[in-house]
Amino acid sequence: MAGRIREEDVRRVRETARIAEIAEQHLQLRNAGGGNFKGLCPFHDEKSPSFQVSPAKNLWYCFGCGEGGDVLDFVMRLDHTTFSETVERLAQQYGIELRYEEGGYTPGRQQGRRTRLVEAHKIAAQWFTDQLGTPEAETARRFLADRGFEQEAAERFSLGYAPKGWENLVRFLRGKGFTPQEMLEGGLASEGRNGPMDRFRGRLIWPIRDITGDVIGFGARKLYDDDNGPKYLNTPETPIYKKSQVLYGLDLAKKEIAKSGRAVIVEGYTDVMACHLAGAGTAIATCGTSFGDEHIKVLRRLLMDSGEFRGEVIFTFDGDAAGQKAALRAFEEDQKFVTRTFVAVEPRGLDPCDLRLEHGDEAVLGLIDARVPLFEFAIKSRIEGHDLSTVEGRVAALDAAAPVIAGIKDQALRHTYAVRLDSMLGFLDEKFVVGRVAQVNRWQRERAARGGPGQVPHQSQGAPQHGQQAPPAQRPAGFRPDPRDSRQAVQREVLKLALQAPALVAPAFDHYEADEFTAPPYAAVRAAIAVAGGVSCEAAQTSNWVGEVRAAAPDDIVRHMVTELAVESMHRTADADRAYADGNLVRLRVFSAERRIADAKSRLLRIDPVREAEQYAQVWQELNTLETYKRALVDRGAEALYAPGT
């Protein structure tokens, strides 16, 4: 049984692995002020960025879905890995040698499941690449040359060759210490009558990498006539390969996509290669499946696809009927982007690979530049085939195109395309066409209201087993603070200061009691800070201060709130200083005094001044003291924070 990773090594991984670096492998981050960064959350679908990263605290938090934590939490939740697998993966990435409590480190035996499968694919990819240089691979090299890809291109994309034999790769991996079960589970082998056999045989191989660059699968092209398999054979669904989430070439294109705000979606591996070699470095492709919801989510995060940003997603399709059908499928997904979507269709039916081969790199770039808006393409596709020389044909074309325009969510864009449709059809009756589209839009909304899908309830989850990630914390009703309450806003700001800049609020903050924080989550965070030693303790002056408070939190719910407050920017453009901290501390005390004054007045009204004279006098004195203190706070500010009687 694998030993437990030593705590000091886990701590070293947690401190060395930078959340900003890891997050940027999956999404585009932009400056959010105060040293923080923001992007589209990878854990839920959103239109505007609410995911924030604090490099200084090495923490992340999403203000949309409430997920948050450190770098280990991020990787576990994103890749669904166990705690041990996550530590091992990051340790390998950052060159940290791990030690285990029981028996030391045994390579291959104590690695996590995902780590083992990724390592097997890495070794297999290099082996395939080596085979491409063998005499048997002449057919594969000729195939590439015939399509305009020389050795340099093959090396750039790490192409390989799978020999014809039944167990070449299986024997090689077995010699590297991998078990038959691991080969089968990773999709590198298939079950044969006498044990595992190579899944890929006699084929040209493309390694498929995830967004971080790890090889997680392969695409294999048939080369020989006696191969009865499909033209392209891909890795099946495995623990590390989910085709609905994988985009070929994304590891190479992600930086250029984020930089340029443009992504080009092509249909095959050779098309990705052709585009990149031609200078269109944002080309990517799906792997044996159509472009769908999960692909959109991945791409939106890289594009920072929100209401604040207008980039381009360009779909390239063959000009034949199948290509047009694929483009119309893309139209159905279009409005899940905020980014503008386009279609680039080669009229002669040439894909980017063939276009480059016949007409060169400039033709590929010209195809992409000649893109047309996807809405326009979809409308024209619906009109085609109708006889627009007759009234009947124009009406039929209107009925075919109206649902497309009616489905456009942007009202201004919908109206503009309705007006344009009138010009396309030659009605010369703009009001009639716009009205027809509006009528169809109304029908669509009514139908959706009657038969829209219901909410899928969340399934309850038990406590996680050792080594598994914990489920997201569920906040009880009423736990969330009220963002409209100015008093709670000040409480929030003071807690942010205590977590992010404790020296600015020390030692005054430590004299504030939990009951001064009227929102339950804020009171819980105040209590956790006290348990951690308060803002005046030595730990508060270290980079691990937030970690200490998170460790002192009684449960995941409070831990989430600590993370949220530690990552959120201050409510000011400039960096927080002592004056800003003092101002918030004073405001909090003023609000607290006002609340106690109101409480004292309420008690006075309930006391009989004759029969309960002594009690009445005590409360009256308390009220006078509180009002005097409040006036001092207003007049003298921070100087009055430690006035007698408070």
Side-chain angles (χ1 to χ4, degrees):
M1 181 176 177
R4 184 184 182 90
I5 303 171
R6 290 189 180 180
E7 278 299 323
E8 55 264 38
D9 291 347
V10 172
R11 190 181 307 114
R12 186 180 172 200
V13 170
R14 184 178 271 120
E15 293 172 353
T16 304
R18 307 312 299 168
I19 182 60
E21 295 174 2
I22 299 299
E24 277 193 314
Q25 295 175 357
H26 301 273
L27 61 146
Q28 183 185 167
L29 294 175
R30 289 188 164 187
N31 195 335
N36 293 344
F37 296 91
K38 65 181 179 180
L40 292 177
C41 180
F43 304 112
H44 80 289
D45 198 16
E46 60 180 2
K47 290 295 184 183
S48 58
S50 58
F51 179 90
Q52 286 215 25
V53 168
S54 173
K57 304 293 185 298
N58 211 24
L59 296 171
W60 59 276
Y61 189 83
C62 176
F63 293 91
C65 66
E67 295 286 342
D70 59 22
V71 66
L72 297 181
D73 297 319
F74 181 81
V75 176
M76 280 193 293
R77 292 201 171 143
L78 190 69
D79 294 333
H80 306 288
T81 51
T82 66
F83 180 82
S84 297
E85 287 177 321
T86 304
V87 174
E88 289 170 347
R89 180 178 176 185
L90 291 174
Q92 184 179 35
Q93 182 173 340
Y94 283 88
I96 299 172
E97 184 177 349
L98 298 178
R99 295 164 297 171
Y100 294 76
E101 298 291 355
E102 300 173 14
Y105 175 59
T106 304
R109 180 171 67 86
Q110 293 175 316
Q111 290 178 316
R113 177 192 191 197
R114 187 188 191 281
T115 305
R116 290 284 292 168
L117 295 182
V118 169
E119 184 66 17
H121 279 74
K122 176 183 177 181
I123 292 173
Q126 184 58 54
W127 184 79
F128 284 136
T129 297
D130 294 341
Q131 303 311 303
L132 189 59
T134 63
E136 184 187 326
E138 172 60 29
T139 303
R141 295 193 295 272
R142 188 166 59 249
F143 174 91
L144 291 171
D146 289 345
R147 283 155 181 78
F149 302 125
E150 303 301 329
Q151 181 179 348
E152 185 177 333
E155 292 174 354
R156 177 174 173 178
F157 293 90
S158 304
L159 301 191
Y161 174 73
K164 286 186 174 183
W166 293 92
E167 298 178 357
N168 292 290
L169 179 61
V170 166
R171 285 196 299 268
F172 179 78
L173 290 177
R174 187 179 285 125
K176 294 293 183 180
F178 293 96
T179 66
Q181 180 59 34
E182 288 173 329
M183 297 179 218
L184 292 168
E185 188 176 22
L188 295 166
S190 302
E191 191 68 73
R193 284 181 294 182
N194 299 316
M197 61 182 186
D198 292 356
R199 177 176 178 81
F200 307 110
R201 303 183 302 278
R203 287 178 174 253
L204 180 63
I205 298 292
W206 280 266
I208 300 172
R209 303 176 188 272
D210 65 13
I211 196 169
T212 68
D214 285 339
V215 180
I216 56 174
F218 297 97
R221 210 283 186 184
K222 180 166 70 173
L223 296 172
Y224 303 104
D225 293 336
D226 59 355
D227 186 338
N228 296 322
K231 182 177 179 180
Y232 280 94
L233 179 65
N234 292 319
T235 294
E237 293 281 305
T238 73
I240 63 172
Y241 179 82
K242 309 294 181 185
K243 63 182 180 181
S244 64
Q245 302 171 5
V246 176
L247 288 164
Y248 176 73
L250 190 60
D251 58 307
L252 301 175
K254 63 182 181 182
K255 288 185 179 179
E256 188 63 27
I257 289 174
K259 178 182 177 182
S260 67
R262 170 188 278 189
V264 178
I265 315 297
V266 298
E267 293 194 294
Y269 306 132
T270 57
D271 293 334
V272 170
M273 294 175 64
C275 287
H276 279 253
L277 293 171
T282 64
I284 52 180
T286 59
C287 301
T289 186
S290 58
F291 192 80
D293 282 358
E294 294 301 317
H295 298 121
I296 289 173
K297 291 176 183 177
V298 171
L299 201 51
R300 286 191 66 236
R301 294 194 293 269
L302 284 178
L303 287 166
M304 183 68 93
D305 181 44
S306 70
E308 303 171 358
F309 182 71
R310 291 285 175 174
E312 292 184 352
V313 175
I314 303 170
F315 295 90
T316 66
F317 299 103
D318 298 347
D320 57 15
Q324 290 205 3
K325 186 177 180 181
L328 290 175
R329 280 200 309 271
F331 166 76
E332 295 172 3
E333 305 287 352
D334 168 77
Q335 293 178 92
K336 294 176 182 176
F337 287 105
V338 175
T339 292
R340 296 167 295 173
T341 47
F342 297 83
V343 171
V345 177
E346 213 291 317
R348 293 158 295 180
L350 298 176
D351 58 32
C353 180
D354 291 335
L355 186 62
R356 177 175 178 266
L357 188 62
E358 292 189 19
H359 301 285
D361 293 344
E362 291 301 320
V364 175
L365 299 178
L367 169 66
I368 295 171
D369 289 339
R371 67 206 181 281
V372 297
L374 187 51
F375 285 141
E376 181 178 325
F377 177 84
I379 293 166
K380 288 181 177 178
S381 297
R382 292 294 178 89
I383 293 174
E384 286 179 3
H386 295 282
D387 184 0
L388 301 184
S389 64
T390 67
V391 174
E392 292 80 5
R394 289 198 293 272
V395 170
L398 171 60
D399 286 343
V404 173
I405 301 175
I408 298 175
K409 295 178 181 178
D410 187 309
Q411 185 175 353
L413 202 59
R414 186 168 65 242
H415 178 82
T416 301
Y417 273 110
V419 172
R420 192 166 185 177
L421 179 61
D422 174 56
S423 300
M424 290 180 184
L425 298 179
F427 275 110
L428 301 180
D429 190 345
E430 182 180 300
K431 186 175 180 181
F432 167 69
V433 174
V434 170
R436 180 64 170 167
V437 169
Q439 184 181 44
V440 174
N441 175 259
R442 187 166 58 254
W443 289 343
Q444 289 177 342
R445 285 187 284 110
E446 290 173 354
R447 186 164 58 247
R450 288 194 304 269
Q455 292 287 331
V456 179
H458 293 288
Q459 294 182 349
S460 60
Q461 299 181 1
Q465 300 297 314
H466 176 70
Q468 294 180 335
Q469 67 185 60
Q474 300 297 315
R475 294 183 175 88
F479 186 85
R480 291 296 298 177
D482 185 357
R484 298 165 298 182
D485 189 328
S486 59
R487 288 168 171 78
Q488 291 189 17
V490 172
Q491 296 170 31
R492 186 180 187 90
E493 203 70 3
V494 169
L495 288 173
K496 283 156 55 177
L497 284 160
L499 291 168
Q500 299 179 31
L504 293 181
V505 292
F509 178 89
D510 289 336
H511 295 272
Y512 284 61
E513 301 296 334
D515 64 356
E516 296 193 66
F517 297 85
T518 56
Y522 296 160
V525 173
R526 171 64 187 94
I529 292 174
V531 172
V535 296
S536 301
C537 73
E538 290 184 5
Q541 314 310 314
T542 68
S543 60
N544 194 41
W545 168 233
V546 175
E548 295 287 342
V549 179
R550 277 166 49 85
D555 54 43
D556 284 344
I557 295 174
V558 179
R559 233 178 326 271
H560 267 70
M561 181 56 68
V562 171
T563 304
E564 181 176 339
L565 295 171
V567 170
E568 185 178 297
S569 300
M570 300 291 177
H571 284 169
R572 60 176 289 155
T573 54
D575 290 338
D577 56 18
R578 189 76 192 198
Y580 180 72
D582 286 348
N584 278 282
L585 287 169
V586 169
R587 289 179 66 200
L588 180 55
R589 269 288 159 89
V590 168
F591 287 147
S592 178
E594 289 176 344
R595 179 169 53 84
R596 291 173 180 174
I597 288 170
D599 177 67
K601 287 180 177 180
S602 176
R603 280 184 284 140
L604 275 179
L605 291 174
R606 298 195 300 269
I607 298 174
D608 187 324
V610 177
R611 286 185 296 179
E612 300 172 288
E614 184 176 347
Q615 185 180 358
Y616 188 90
Q618 289 176 349
V619 176
W620 181 263
Q621 181 61 43
E622 177 185 349
L623 178 60
N624 283 334
T625 302
L626 286 169
E627 288 182 332
T628 301
Y629 180 51
K630 178 190 170 185
R631 285 194 297 271
L633 285 170
V634 173
D635 293 338
R636 295 188 286 117
E639 296 176 10
L641 283 177
Y642 298 108
T646 63

